[in-house]
Amino acid sequence: MKYTIENDHIIGNLGFDPITISPSENKGYRPFELFVSSLVGCSGTILRNILTKRKYPFQKLEMEVSAVRNPDHANRIEQLSFTAYVQSDEPLTPQLAEKIADLVIKNCGMIQSVISSIEIKFTIKYIKGI
């Protein structure tokens, strides 16, 4: 990975496409957005893989994330709460949802990299398929 630091943004020349990073949302993706996106990318892929291996049929997976930040300590991230929505015709019991959520946390390398410094909550909610 190679990055070029300019006046008001940074350009990352990554494998897929260049990406622009900036503290200003008008000039690029904010570092916070990229950080959370990396956790969603990792955990979402793990979730999809677990459901597929268990042969659990689903139509759609969506995820929302909320954050608690501490403005007194460089706006540090103190908590991230992930809610994954699984749309399926087959009900997902709360017990199975909790077991899968634990597997996601355990197997996501990005979450495991930060779990000792950021409180992570991961919840899976079932949505009846259309």
Side-chain angles (χ1 to χ4, degrees), residues 39-54 56 58 60-63 82-87 92 96-97 99-105 107-108 122-125:
L39 297 173
V40 169
C42 178
S43 62
T45 300
I46 298 289
L47 174 59
R48 185 192 69 225
N49 290 345
I50 290 170
L51 293 173
T52 300
K53 284 181 182 178
R54 289 178 169 261
Y56 180 82
F58 59 90
K60 186 193 290 189
L61 299 175
E62 294 183 330
M63 201 172 309
F82 298 79
T83 304
Y85 297 93
V86 177
Q87 183 179 21
L92 184 64
L96 183 56
K99 182 177 181 180
I100 292 171
D102 289 343
L103 285 170
V104 169
I105 290 172
N107 290 288
C108 175
F122 198 98
T123 305
I124 299 173
K125 293 192 176 182

Side-chain angles (χ1 to χ4, degrees), residues 15-39:
F16 180 69
D17 265 339
I19 189 166
T20 304
I21 306 162
S22 174
S24 170
E25 63 185 34
N26 298 328
K27 297 184 180 180
Y29 295 103
R30 295 183 343 220
F32 173 74
E33 294 169 322
L34 295 171
F35 177 78
V36 171
S37 294
S38 72
L39 297 173

